[in-house]
Amino acid sequence: MEVFRISGIEIGLTETGKVWADDREIGSVARERRFDQWFWRAYDVDPTVEIKRFFTSRPEAIQLLLLRADLIEGIGF
């Protein structure tokens, strides 16, 4: 598991893209090619909940998951 900080919060990221924070899984991220460009997409931990957001960087996608998990109050980009 890769461990790093985003928005001051320690994040764990598995090889399969699962994102962990505060000792719980908060979702996952994956790269997806759309419109001839690569984007990062955030996925809710619940597979029935779809998040329709695309970001140009992995940290931005992880910040959305942090926001949805009430670990941060806003995204500053």
Side-chain angles (χ1 to χ4, degrees):
M1 181 180 299
E2 180 182 355
V3 178
F4 52 94
R5 289 192 171 275
I6 293 181
S7 299
I9 297 171
E10 188 172 284
I11 302 297
L13 181 66
T14 68
E15 289 183 18
T16 60
K18 293 189 185 301
V19 179
W20 290 77
D22 203 22
D23 294 325
R24 63 185 167 123
E25 184 181 350
I26 61 170
S28 61
V29 293
R31 281 185 56 165
E32 188 172 313
R33 188 170 179 91
R34 301 197 36 111
F35 314 113
D36 293 325
Q37 185 176 350
W38 285 100
F39 290 91
W40 284 92
R41 184 163 184 180
Y43 294 90
D44 195 84
V45 96
D46 179 350
T48 64
V49 177
E50 187 173 336
I51 303 174
K52 295 182 179 180
R53 302 288 169 126
F54 293 94
F55 300 96
T56 57
S57 74
R58 186 175 72 177
E60 290 173 339
I62 292 172
Q63 281 183 325
L64 177 62
L65 295 174
L66 291 170
L67 181 65
R68 292 174 56 84
D70 289 328
L71 295 172
I72 59 174
E73 292 184 18
I75 300 175
F77 51 82

